[in-house]
């Protein structure tokens, strides 16, 4: 299985979980990339938009979705 297919399957599983379980609500939730108190599809869109963007989130220096904080950009560890 290629890495691209694994990525597509992983994103599908995450999207399905958010749709079936519903958004998580709390203050300062890890993964709340839109800062609205919820982890939902809007946050997934931000993460997907920065997926494999490059080290240090070259295109998003002020709002990088590098949740693990390794400085390597958004990758499977952040997912």
């Amino acid at each position: 299985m290629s890495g691209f297919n694994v990525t597509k399957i992983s994103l599908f599983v995450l999207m399905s979980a958010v749709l079936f379980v519903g958004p998580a609500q709390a203050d300062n939730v890890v993964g709340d990339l839109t800062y609205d108190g919820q982890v939902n599809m809007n946050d997934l869109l931000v993460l997907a938009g920065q997926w494999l963007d490059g080290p240090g989130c070259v295109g998003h220096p002020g709002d990088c979705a590098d949740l693990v904080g390794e400085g390597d950009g958004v990758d499977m560890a952040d997912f």
Side-chain angles (χ1 to χ4, degrees):
M1 189 180 286
S2 74
F4 182 70
N5 287 335
V6 170
T7 301
K8 286 173 54 177
I9 291 169
S10 298
L11 286 174
F12 174 76
V13 169
L14 178 64
M15 289 173 49
S16 298
V18 169
L19 290 174
F20 289 117
V21 175
Q25 293 187 2
D27 293 334
N28 302 320
V29 177
V30 174
D32 180 14
L33 302 171
T34 57
Y35 307 106
D36 61 358
Q38 300 178 345
V39 177
N40 55 24
M41 291 298 293
N42 294 329
D43 302 299
L44 181 60
L45 290 172
V46 171
L47 186 104
Q50 296 180 21
W51 190 259
L52 302 177
D53 204 14
C57 293
V58 176
H60 305 274
D63 63 346
C64 183
D66 184 6
L67 300 174
V68 177
E70 296 174 347
D72 57 353
V74 180
D75 58 13
M76 196 60 163
D78 303 299
F79 180 70

